[in-house]
Amino acid sequence: MKRLLTTLILPTFLLAQSYPEVISDLDHSLALQSARQLETAAWESYRAAEGKNLPSLDANLNALKFQETPTVTFRLPPAMTPMTAPMGTKNHAEGSLTLTYPLFSGFAISASIEKAKLAHEKASLQVADLKRNLYLSTTMLYSSVIAFDQIIAAQEEAKKAITESHTKAKGLYDNGLLAPAELYAIEAKKFEIEAQITESQNKKQQTLNQLSYLTNTAVTSAGIVVHVLPIPEKNEMVRIALSNREDLRALSKAMDMAQTDVTVAQSRYYPNLTLVGALKRQGDSLELNGDGYSNADKSYAGVAASWNLFNGLSDMHTTEAAQAAKLSVQMTVEDYKHRIETEIDNAYLDINALQSQLQSAKMQVKASGEYAKLTHGRFDNQLSSADELSRSIADLASAKAKQASLESELFNQSAALWLKGGLNAFQEKVIPITANH
């Protein structure tokens, strides 16, 4: 069965940038754009690797001028003098169009193509995982902005209350009914609250600056966020994560790439067969119509075979090294699965703790509010001190700020839990909910 994490609706601001809008702006992130260029490079490398499995066609043209005319010497029986005769011309030109096609390479070519394909798929998953991590950072910052807005609202409310109290205290002081120390205590608390407001506003702006940096877009305010996210049972979330997490899938691609390295290493045990054919002509000019001594057409076709029989056991050790590397990646994948399970388990513990803390904070706000009302009344009737009044106002603001922080963190943790399940799970569950509110 599904549980619901339910907290309050945070206030909305005119022309504020919504959570889905800020998430969408991450497409402008320079880090993400850089990763996409690496993905494109991996794709082009894959296409280049595919070319190795196709015929190669080369054109060649040579034009030479010998220093001497090529000759040949005939050595007849010893009684006769050796005879020398020309066998070519000083000018010699050759032109060819050669076709080479690998018939069999011990699976090395197909394995290298498969590795390039896996590298591109891994790069795509790494882009998605980078986006997932950017979503995590952005969610934390965005919810912090919302919390600061709540905190500043509580502090402004406290400032208004302390200002009203200061006005009453000043009247009592002017009529000799309040000691100077009492009035100064209220004034000091007023300045303290103003300083807190300034600090909160600065922290909010710093957070907005970080959001602007991540999205490479100006983020000036945060809009409404509803803290109601459906959370499945823990085992279901683990299943989702192990099936969809981009970083885990990228590691699995690395394991497949390690297998292609094993195949490439083992290909050295097989012979290589290559089909070769050429259209070739020669002559004493660029017309390539012969030189009067040998035929102009030198075209040919054939098959070339090579097989390394022994190279000092290098192939055996290379294969063993590739197999060990594959086993290492396989163990890394299994370790990473356990790490994901631990992350999700801890996330549920954090969410449960935050729910309890938030319930306590709400009760504290209620209690602080009632105490502040009581203290106001008692102060108006000179039954409590200015210091007690100031502390009650500050305590109420502090309780409201704590509640806002916990609400922000609860949304952050619940959204982060879906991101631990993978980018697709987050986009399917979280984005529609926040977009509809």
Side-chain angles (χ1 to χ4, degrees):
M1 294 179 62
K2 292 186 176 180
R3 298 182 292 120
L4 288 180
L5 295 180
T6 308
T7 63
L8 299 180
I9 297 178
L10 297 179
T12 183
F13 298 88
L14 187 63
L15 299 179
Q17 289 154 282
S18 70
Y19 177 67
E21 286 174 341
V22 174
I23 287 294
S24 178
D25 284 340
L26 282 171
D27 285 337
H28 304 300
S29 166
L30 293 177
L32 196 58
Q33 292 182 47
S34 174
R36 282 172 175 158
Q37 291 302 315
L38 292 178
E39 179 188 1
T40 300
W43 168 254
E44 295 300 335
S45 295
Y46 165 54
R47 296 301 302 272
E50 282 187 316
K52 296 179 180 179
N53 210 26
L54 299 174
S56 174
L57 187 63
D58 299 292
N60 185 49
L61 178 63
N62 295 320
L64 306 174
K65 187 176 182 63
F66 297 116
Q67 185 174 356
E68 296 182 356
T69 301
T71 60
V72 60
T73 301
F74 298 97
R75 297 187 179 275
L76 298 175
M80 300 183 64
T81 304
M83 296 177 60
T84 301
M87 60 169 294
T89 61
K90 283 188 175 183
N91 296 324
H92 183 74
E94 285 186 352
S96 63
L97 194 63
T98 305
L99 179 71
T100 305
Y101 182 71
L103 294 177
F104 181 70
S105 62
F107 311 107
I109 293 178
S110 58
S112 64
I113 294 173
E114 180 65 18
K115 183 176 181 179
K117 178 183 177 183
L118 291 169
H120 171 249
E121 293 173 354
K122 180 183 176 184
S124 299
L125 289 168
Q126 287 173 332
V127 170
D129 188 57
L130 174 60
K131 183 182 286 190
R132 186 182 68 87
N133 282 289
L134 287 173
Y135 281 11
L136 278 168
S137 300
T138 300
T139 300
M140 180 186 68
L141 293 171
Y142 192 91
S143 58
S144 295
V145 173
I146 295 291
F148 280 127
D149 283 329
Q150 284 278 69
I151 291 169
I152 291 170
Q155 291 170 340
E156 290 286 358
E157 185 180 333
K159 178 183 176 181
K160 180 180 178 182
I162 202 72
T163 300
E164 292 174 352
S165 298
H166 178 264
T167 301
K168 294 177 181 179
K170 187 68 168 57
L172 293 172
Y173 172 77
D174 292 340
N175 290 295
L177 300 175
L178 191 68
E182 296 283 314
L183 179 63
Y184 298 155
I186 293 180
E187 289 177 347
K189 182 59 66 175
K190 180 181 177 182
F191 285 120
E192 180 183 339
I193 292 174
E194 288 176 346
Q196 290 173 349
I197 292 174
T198 300
E199 181 182 6
S200 297
Q201 289 174 336
N202 289 340
K203 288 183 176 179
K204 173 188 171 182
Q205 186 57 50
Q206 289 172 347
T207 307
L208 287 170
N209 291 342
Q210 288 179 284
L211 270 175
S212 298
Y213 162 72
L214 282 181
T215 61
N216 197 31
T217 305
V219 181
T220 57
S221 59
I224 190 170
V225 170
V226 180
H227 292 191
V228 182
L229 298 179
I231 303 297
E233 295 297 331
K234 183 170 65 176
N235 290 339
E236 176 65 12
M237 181 57 78
V238 169
R239 186 195 65 78
I240 292 172
L242 295 182
S243 302
N244 297 286
R245 271 278 288 265
E246 290 75 15
D247 48 354
L248 180 60
R249 291 169 60 197
L251 268 179
S252 297
K253 295 296 180 183
M255 184 170 64
D256 294 336
M257 290 170 66
Q259 176 57 49
T260 63
D261 288 335
V262 173
T263 303
V264 170
Q266 291 175 337
S267 68
R268 293 287 297 166
Y269 296 134
Y270 299 92
N272 289 304
L273 297 177
T274 304
L275 176 66
V276 180
L279 296 175
K280 184 176 180 181
R281 293 184 66 84
Q282 65 88 28
D284 56 4
S285 68
L286 293 179
E287 294 180 0
L288 304 179
N289 56 358
D291 56 7
Y293 293 90
S294 61
N295 57 303
D297 191 353
K298 299 288 186 179
S299 301
Y300 61 88
V303 176
S306 64
W307 193 355
N308 177 261
L309 298 178
F310 181 75
N311 66 347
L313 304 180
S314 174
D315 295 338
M316 181 188 71
H317 294 303
T318 300
T319 301
E320 289 178 352
Q323 290 172 336
K326 175 190 173 183
L327 184 59
S328 174
V329 177
Q330 186 174 356
M331 291 179 177
T332 300
V333 170
E334 291 302 315
D335 178 74
Y336 208 79
K337 289 180 180 178
H338 294 316
R339 175 181 168 183
I340 290 174
E341 292 174 2
T342 302
E343 286 179 356
I344 293 176
D345 188 37
N346 290 339
Y348 274 90
L349 293 175
D350 288 339
I351 289 173
N352 289 334
L354 284 169
Q355 286 179 307
S356 298
Q357 293 171 24
L358 181 58
Q359 187 63 32
S360 173
K362 289 178 179 179
M363 296 303 297
Q364 186 62 45
V365 169
K366 184 177 180 180
S368 297
E370 292 300 321
Y371 181 71
K373 290 179 183 178
L374 176 64
T375 307
H376 268 287
R378 295 181 63 190
F379 178 78
D380 291 342
N381 293 289
Q382 297 184 341
L383 297 175
S384 64
S385 66
D387 182 63
E388 186 177 1
L389 175 62
S390 299
R391 282 189 285 107
S392 69
I393 294 173
D395 288 345
L396 176 58
S398 177
K400 288 182 176 179
K402 183 177 181 181
Q403 178 182 339
S405 296
L406 288 170
E407 288 174 348
S408 166
E409 184 59 19
L410 184 57
F411 174 77
N412 178 44
Q413 289 293 337
S414 56
L417 179 62
W418 278 108
L419 284 167
K420 286 179 171 60
L423 189 61
N424 289 337
F426 174 82
Q427 291 174 330
E428 291 175 2
K429 298 295 183 180
V430 177
I431 293 299
I433 291 176
T434 55
N436 292 334
H437 294 82

